[in-house]
């Protein structure tokens, strides 16, 4: 993977890369206290720590992934020291990326943004009823929509600042669902459910809420993996003789894992099958 050091004048190029695919980033200050920002394609930002150190960088260090969608650059920080998030925000603002930048922690919570947030009366305009994810399997969306509708009236029982924060989180969940980003929406819904349960404004306690959310998430993940296995089956059928037999046996193993709801083992097995099919091309 190519690693690039981003100077101020290259921030716009950084944004263009984020429009194409999800990128990793790492940010800190070098020995001269100047901003040091590096990016690379992929989802393993921790691999940037070594080249950052070689360039004179050191802790504290922020790293994570970013992607540009709908005129906003979303930076998800897996490591997010507040000082470095502030320094990164200052660096980006100074170099005018021409998009808003939203900084999230790895739990989906908004940490900061380049542009001011909406006024309180404008915030969180979307509700569960605003979900309109065309082109996405309705059965995949239904559990998330049901959970948002159940929790929405309880958000109004939260104390002032928390209520506004949870309304923003709900609005973001709706946006994520409409964009087809169901795994990210799932994370956000779990955050809302735990917060409402924690302040005692839900009929479920936090443990029950988490258990139900995990059950629904596992069911949705199972459906996605079954569809993946079906797609692989069609590709395996087109493979040449001995390879087809070998991959067919591997697919049966993946199917047994799915039947036992061992999703991790099933994913690993199907990853190997996909790798073998790719080698045939």
């Amino acid at each position: 993977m190519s690693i690039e050091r981003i100077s101020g004048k290259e921030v716009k190029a950084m944004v263009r890369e984020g429009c194409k695919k999800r990128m990793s980033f790492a940010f800190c200050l070098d020995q001269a206290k100047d901003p040091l920002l590096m990016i690379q394609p992929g989802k393993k930002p921790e691999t940037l720590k070594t080249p950052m150190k070689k360039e004179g960088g050191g802790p504290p260090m922020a790293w994570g992934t970013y992607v540009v969608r709908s005129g906003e650059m979303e930076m998800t920080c897996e490591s997010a020291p507040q000082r470095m998030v502030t320094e990164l925000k200052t660096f980006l603002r100074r170099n005018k990326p021409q998009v808003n930048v939203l900084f999230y922690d790895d739990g989906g919570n908004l940490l900061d943004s380049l542009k001011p947030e909406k006024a309180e009366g404008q915030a969180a305009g979307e509700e569960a009823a605003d979900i309109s994810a065309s082109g996405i399997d309705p059965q995949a969306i239904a559990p998330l929509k049901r959970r948002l509708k159940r929790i929405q009236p309880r958000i109004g029982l939260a104390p002032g600042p928390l209520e506004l924060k949870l309304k923003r989180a709900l609005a973001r969940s709706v946006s994520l669902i409409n964009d087809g980003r169901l795994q990210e929406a799932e994370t956000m819904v779990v955050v809302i459910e735990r917060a409402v349960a924690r302040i005692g404004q839900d009929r479920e306690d936090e443990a029950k809420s988490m258990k139900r959310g995990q059950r629904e998430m596992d069911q949705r993940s199972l459906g996605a993996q079954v569809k993946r296995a079906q797609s692989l089956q069609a590709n395996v059928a087109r493979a040449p003789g001995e390879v087809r037999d070998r991959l067919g046996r591997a697919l049966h193993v993946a199917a047994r894992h799915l039947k036992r709801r061992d999703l991790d083992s099933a994913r690993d097995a199907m990853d190997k099958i996909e790798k073998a099919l790719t080698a045939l091309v």
Side-chain angles (χ1 to χ4, degrees):
M1 288 187 178
S2 61
I3 297 174
E4 297 181 48
R5 179 170 180 170
I6 300 298
S7 66
K9 63 183 180 181
E10 294 165 328
V11 165
K12 293 182 179 67
M14 173 188 176
V15 173
R16 287 196 295 271
E17 289 301 311
C19 291
K20 300 174 189 174
K21 54 185 173 291
R22 184 170 287 277
M23 302 284 290
S24 292
F25 76 90
F27 178 84
C28 66
L29 301 181
D30 64 17
Q31 293 173 350
K33 302 301 180 185
D34 291 325
L36 173 58
L37 174 62
M38 285 187 172
I39 65 170
Q40 68 176 357
K43 300 181 181 179
K44 295 185 178 180
E46 62 274 11
T47 61
L48 286 167
K49 288 190 287 184
T50 298
M52 291 282 283
K53 289 178 181 177
K54 288 181 179 179
E55 290 286 331
M61 188 181 296
W63 70 80
T65 62
Y66 76 91
V67 68
V68 180
R69 302 177 190 272
S70 304
E72 291 185 327
M73 183 158 73
E74 299 175 2
M75 306 193 81
T76 301
C77 303
E78 296 177 17
S79 170
Q82 184 56 50
R83 178 188 167 196
M84 286 302 101
V85 172
T86 302
E87 291 280 1
L88 177 55
K89 176 182 174 181
T90 301
F91 172 76
L92 293 172
R93 175 180 286 133
R94 185 185 304 129
N95 293 289
K96 299 178 174 61
Q98 296 184 339
V99 295
N100 191 19
V101 183
L102 303 173
F103 302 92
Y104 294 94
D105 64 19
D106 56 3
N109 301 300
L110 183 64
L111 300 173
D112 207 339
S113 62
L114 202 60
K115 296 179 182 178
E117 293 186 62
K118 294 178 181 178
E120 186 166 326
Q122 297 174 291
E126 292 182 289
E127 299 181 348
D130 296 317
I131 294 174
S132 58
S134 58
I136 304 173
D137 184 358
Q139 291 184 350
I141 297 172
L144 291 172
K145 189 173 184 177
R146 182 170 61 249
R147 288 162 69 185
L148 285 175
K149 283 185 174 179
R150 189 187 69 81
I151 209 70
Q152 185 174 318
R154 292 166 174 79
I155 290 176
L157 302 176
L162 179 59
E163 178 187 1
L164 180 59
K165 186 175 181 180
L166 293 178
K167 283 183 176 179
R168 289 187 182 125
L170 185 142
R172 177 157 174 76
S173 299
V174 172
S175 297
L176 289 169
I177 293 171
N178 288 340
D179 289 342
R181 296 157 63 187
L182 301 188
Q183 189 59 55
E184 293 174 72
E186 175 78 41
T187 300
M188 187 67 69
V189 172
V190 169
V191 169
I192 298 170
E193 288 175 331
R194 291 183 67 180
V196 173
R198 195 178 298 124
I199 60 174
Q201 297 297 353
D202 196 359
R203 60 176 178 268
E204 296 179 340
D205 61 23
E206 187 175 355
K208 288 182 180 179
S209 181
M210 287 295 292
K211 185 176 180 180
R212 180 177 47 75
Q214 185 64 49
R215 185 173 61 249
E216 293 191 356
M217 183 171 62
D218 288 346
Q219 185 61 42
R220 184 164 56 81
S221 296
L222 176 63
Q225 294 306 315
V226 168
K227 287 183 180 179
R228 182 186 180 192
Q230 292 169 342
S231 176
L232 282 175
Q233 187 174 23
N235 291 325
V236 167
R238 292 192 289 270
E242 290 185 5
V243 176
R244 181 176 63 246
D245 293 341
R246 177 168 56 83
L247 294 181
R249 289 192 295 271
L251 194 57
H252 282 304
V253 170
R256 286 200 299 271
H257 289 315
L258 287 175
K259 191 172 182 179
R260 294 195 297 266
R261 296 178 180 268
D262 184 354
L263 300 186
D264 289 338
S265 297
R267 274 192 289 264
D268 289 343
M270 287 189 282
D271 285 345
K272 293 176 182 177
I273 295 169
E274 284 184 345
K275 185 176 181 180
L277 288 170
T278 302
L280 295 175
V281 178

